[in-house]
Amino acid sequence: MSGQIAVQCEGVIKDFGSGSVKQRVLHGIDWQVPIGATTFLVGPSGCGKTTLISIIAGLLTPTAGSVRILDQDITKMRRSRVVKFRANRLGFIFQQFNLLPSLTAVENAAVSLVVQGSTLAAAKRQASVLLDRLGMEHNKFKYPNQLSGGQQQRVAIARALVHNPQIVISDEPTASLDAETGREVMELLGQVASAKDRAVIVVTHDNRIFPFADYIATMSDGRIDSFRKNST
Amino acid sequence: MFAIALKMLFHDRAKYLGLVLGVAFSTLLINQQLGIFIGLITRAGAVIVDVPQADIWVMDSGVKNLDTIFPLRDTELGRVRGVPGVDWAVPLYKSNVTIRTGNGELEASLLIGVDDSTLIGLPPEVVMGNIDDLRRPDAVAVSVDGFRKVWRNEPLSLGNIAELNDRRAVVVAILKDSPKFTSSITFFTRYSQALQYTNNGRNQMSFIVARSAPGMTPEEVSRNIVSRTGLQAMSAKDFRYKAIMYVVQNTGIPISIGTVVALGVLVGIAVVGLMFNLFVLENLKQFAVLKAIGTSNLRLIGMVFLQAAVVGFVGFSVGLFGATMFFETAGKSPTFQGFYLPWYVAAASGAVAATIIVLAALLAMRRVLFVDPAIVFRG
């Protein structure tokens, strides 16, 4: 593991509901995600992976514990600062792509820059270059419903990286793709996302893509059972 | 972000069209109905408007409007003329007569008898002929719309002969008058001639119209007339207001038109509110994505309000254009003559459209504010 830490979770607990219907989903997670590596978070459905990355992304607040991202404790930040932090430092890739159907591929890729405050025109110019790198030069002006699953995920990758975030959080990026397209997407993600000053966190239970991981954390029942360097 | 908000709005064309039409329909209904309402009740005071020279109207103390008249004695005219502050006063006769049209049909018509010597009481705009010819025997003037109704398909012309209550009347002038509440056919003649058409004998003076002397207000002079004669007197402005209020308070017009306007507002709020809510609901995941990748609640609220404002502005413009076209087109028909779209009705409908949009946006905004951005991680 490199010396620098991208994400540091300490005693993270998350409960949903209260009283008799209270359910503990995370049981005191202690975890460190290194910078300059692709870290996979794996485990069966319902083990708490999505809840953990939602907390790391600042979308959910933990019941107890702290989460430091790039040396900043987001659990102690005001909500408005967390929102800004997300816009500037994090990139997201979702299982269902979650592209905006009313925007073209290049506009979708530009959204992260627009959220930061760029004009749509300037953001599109930047996004266009990235889409070219991702092999989307002929599909930039198509709408999501005119693109295949693999192409949509490339646009989603562009959206996650266009504003040059230091942490990329990817939730089941290959779950909606066939094996071949999934492998291509992971190769692309490895090429464009991997950088020595960036951490990539991939939540998955697709073991076909495990070879793309530098580190693998295994979760079950709201706990991280193991965290190891990937040898496959 | 606002460019993205607009692209989201225009992308679902059917829903966008539905939202715009909802606001447009509501705006059209409000403007059209209120325009008709104001045009209609304004007609209640049309006879008063057509005598612009007089600023005081005198009548029996029991008179409440222009249609329920109790005749005054001829001697009252002299008494009114003797009241301090009265510059001049002349008689005015008003009655309903039956007219036989060119094709033999009978129509109800209004007959206005004006002062024999001064002819005060005639509408000022002469379309054809010379009002001095009214001094000839059997001479009458007719309103433009009246002429067109009595002599259908004939061009405006003088010398046409009509039968007013079975008596001969020769058209010597055609006048442009204000549209009336009850009849679109109005004949004007001398006071003495009018009495012959109605065969009512003496003491048939409907009103005395008068002018206040320079330096005195019509209200002051009216008070003098009341105190000295015991008659009812008021300024032309007050009498017109009273005539209009009589219609408002004693007919079903305000309720029926008010109901339609209220329905317009309710349908507008319901349709636009629900559709906009549906629009936001369908785009909720998109808002959640934007929220997840770092869009603040304030900017999301701005996006929703921009979308609502665009819908409101376009819908209001379309509705107002429709209402304007209605009055522009229908205003040419005698039935709707004088109906128009007052600026304050348009402004009020704008306020209603804005209220509809703000309510719709507030309703939808709640969903956007409270949407959990973490849903983007759920398949």
Side-chain angles (χ1 to χ4, degrees):
Chain A
M1 194 186 298
S2 76
Q4 279 186 295
I5 301 298
V7 179
Q8 183 166 13
C9 299
E10 284 180 1
V12 173
I13 292 171
K14 181 65 183 175
D15 295 334
F16 286 112
S18 58
S20 60
V21 290
K22 187 167 89 175
Q23 191 186 359
R24 180 151 292 180
V25 179
L26 298 179
H27 301 265
I29 300 277
D30 294 312
W31 187 35
Q32 291 184 344
V33 179
I35 276 182
T38 300
T39 302
F40 276 29
L41 181 60
V42 302
S45 293
C47 70
K49 302 189 298 285
T50 299
T51 303
L52 181 58
I53 57 160
S54 294
I55 289 172
I56 290 172
L59 300 175
L60 285 179
T61 311
T63 308
S66 70
V67 177
R68 295 183 72 81
I69 298 182
L70 304 167
D71 263 346
Q72 295 192 57
D73 190 343
I74 62 161
T75 50
K76 288 188 177 144
M77 277 184 196
R78 280 178 23 224
R79 292 309 300 167
S80 58
R81 271 202 65 203
V82 174
V83 170
K84 248 185 199 158
F85 186 83
R86 257 199 327 260
N88 294 326
R89 313 294 281 274
L90 305 186
F92 296 95
I93 301 167
F94 308 108
Q95 178 183 342
Q96 298 292 329
F97 321 130
N98 285 333
L99 300 177
L100 308 193
S102 49
L103 305 184
T104 60
V106 69
E107 286 166 345
N108 263 296
V111 161
S112 298
L113 286 170
V114 176
V115 167
Q116 282 187 330
S118 296
T119 63
L120 185 58
K124 275 163 72 177
R125 278 195 294 276
Q126 226 169 305
S128 182
V129 174
L130 187 53
L131 280 176
D132 289 347
R133 277 183 65 198
L134 289 164
M136 289 288 290
E137 58 269 35
H138 301 302
N139 297 304
K140 285 189 279 193
F141 302 105
K142 287 184 178 169
Y143 286 92
N145 63 0
Q146 297 168 315
L147 299 172
S148 67
Q151 288 169 333
Q152 288 189 57
Q153 197 58 302
R154 286 169 197 230
V155 177
I157 291 170
R159 180 177 64 188
L161 299 174
V162 72
H163 56 305
N164 203 21
Q166 283 171 281
I167 295 174
V168 175
I169 297 172
S170 184
D171 181 34
E172 305 277 8
T174 57
S176 303
L177 305 173
D178 59 70
E180 178 60 22
T181 313
R183 194 184 55 75
E184 279 176 24
V185 164
M186 284 311 297
E187 275 174 4
L188 271 174
L189 189 62
Q191 285 166 21
V192 294
S194 295
K196 64 177 192 284
D197 59 344
R198 179 181 288 153
V200 180
I201 302 170
V202 178
V203 172
T204 186
H205 55 247
D206 182 357
N207 53 16
R208 295 168 304 182
I209 63 167
F210 282 7
F212 293 96
D214 295 319
Y215 294 91
I216 297 178
T218 309
M219 268 189 93
S220 67
D221 292 332
R223 293 179 178 85
I224 290 189
D225 294 335
S226 69
F227 183 53
R228 60 182 168 82
K229 196 165 174 45
N230 187 22
S231 54
T232 55
Chain B
M1 290 311 290
F2 292 149
I4 291 173
L6 293 180
K7 280 172 183 284
M8 282 169 75
L9 177 66
F10 299 142
H11 182 70
D12 189 346
R13 285 184 192 157
K15 205 154 280 121
Y16 172 65
L17 200 65
L19 285 164
V20 165
L21 287 181
V23 178
F25 174 73
S26 192
T27 304
L28 174 65
L29 213 57
I30 292 166
N31 281 288
Q32 192 248 17
Q33 288 294 304
L34 284 181
I36 287 177
F37 175 68
I38 287 166
L40 211 54
I41 62 165
T42 306
R43 289 182 171 194
V47 172
I48 303 163
V49 175
D50 281 344
V51 192
Q53 307 95 325
D55 60 7
I56 297 166
W57 284 66
V58 185
M59 64 214 85
D60 183 86
S61 56
V63 171
K64 289 179 183 169
N65 58 58
L66 278 156
D67 295 316
T68 315
I69 300 162
F70 192 80
L72 302 170
R73 289 195 307 264
D74 292 344
T75 51
E76 303 290 13
L77 181 59
R79 293 179 68 203
V80 170
R81 281 174 174 160
V83 172
V86 174
D87 195 16
W88 51 255
V90 294
L92 189 90
Y93 179 83
K94 179 179 171 292
S95 177
N96 295 319
V97 289
T98 306
I99 164 89
R100 192 178 289 279
T101 65
N103 59 8
E105 290 175 354
L106 296 176
E107 286 275 3
S109 150
L110 192 64
L111 178 67
I112 303 286
V114 303
D115 182 42
D116 283 46
S117 54
T118 61
L119 298 182
I120 285 174
L122 293 175
E125 193 178 336
V126 180
V127 177
M128 190 179 276
N130 186 341
I131 56 166
D132 285 333
D133 289 341
L134 279 175
R135 296 193 167 88
R136 285 158 41 185
D138 300 334
V140 292
V142 65
S143 60
V144 177
D145 295 329
F147 186 96
R148 292 199 174 116
K149 205 160 181 183
V150 177
W151 292 283
R152 288 169 206 268
N153 307 321
E154 282 187 35
L156 297 182
S157 60
L158 303 177
N160 289 32
I161 295 171
E163 283 181 26
L164 293 183
N165 282 354
D166 265 350
R167 285 173 185 268
R168 185 173 179 270
V170 182
V171 175
V172 298
I174 299 172
L175 308 176
K176 175 90 181 128
D177 69 339
S178 305
K180 308 291 186 298
F181 193 70
T182 48
S183 170
S184 59
I185 307 170
T186 307
F187 282 94
F188 302 90
T189 189
R190 284 172 287 111
Y191 182 83
S192 57
Q193 181 78 45
L195 294 183
Q196 288 178 25
Y197 283 129
T198 51
N199 211 11
N200 278 334
R202 297 173 60 216
N203 294 334
Q204 291 302 316
M205 200 161 45
S206 311
F207 299 99
I208 296 168
V209 291
R211 181 90 200 171
S212 54
M216 294 195 76
T217 65
E219 288 77 16
E220 284 173 325
V221 179
S222 297
R223 280 195 292 275
N224 288 346
I225 293 171
V226 173
S227 64
R228 301 226 175 186
T229 64
L231 297 172
Q232 185 179 191
M234 64 190 86
S235 70
K237 195 175 123 197
D238 288 348
F239 189 33
R240 183 165 180 249
Y241 179 74
K242 186 175 179 176
I244 288 171
M245 287 315 290
Y246 184 84
V247 172
V248 170
Q249 287 163 0
N250 293 280
T251 68
I253 295 171
I255 290 175
S256 69
I257 288 186
T259 306
V260 177
V261 170
L263 279 176
V265 175
L266 282 177
V267 168
I269 290 173
V271 170
V272 177
L274 288 175
M275 282 193 78
F276 196 71
N277 208 33
L278 203 62
F279 165 77
V280 169
L281 203 62
E282 281 181 7
N283 290 304
L284 206 55
K285 192 143 193 194
Q286 297 185 47
F287 283 113
V289 169
L290 291 173
K291 212 169 180 176
I293 63 179
T295 308
S296 66
N297 275 340
L298 201 65
R299 287 178 96 180
L300 289 176
I301 290 170
M303 287 174 75
V304 171
F305 265 101
L306 177 75
Q307 289 168 336
V310 168
V311 165
F313 178 75
V314 176
F316 175 68
S317 303
V318 171
L320 196 61
F321 178 75
T324 310
M325 284 296 104
F326 170 80
F327 286 110
E328 191 62 29
T329 312
K332 292 187 174 110
S333 135
T335 316
F336 288 104
Q337 202 211 354
F339 286 16
Y340 68 107
L341 184 56
W343 68 265
Y344 49 86
V345 169
S349 69
V352 170
T355 307
I356 290 172
I357 281 309
V358 168
L359 284 177
L362 286 175
L363 201 70
M365 205 176 66
R366 278 181 54 251
R367 292 185 180 280
V368 174
L369 281 179
F370 295 115
V371 65
D372 179 3
I375 64 166
V376 294
F377 284 131
R378 292 169 205 149

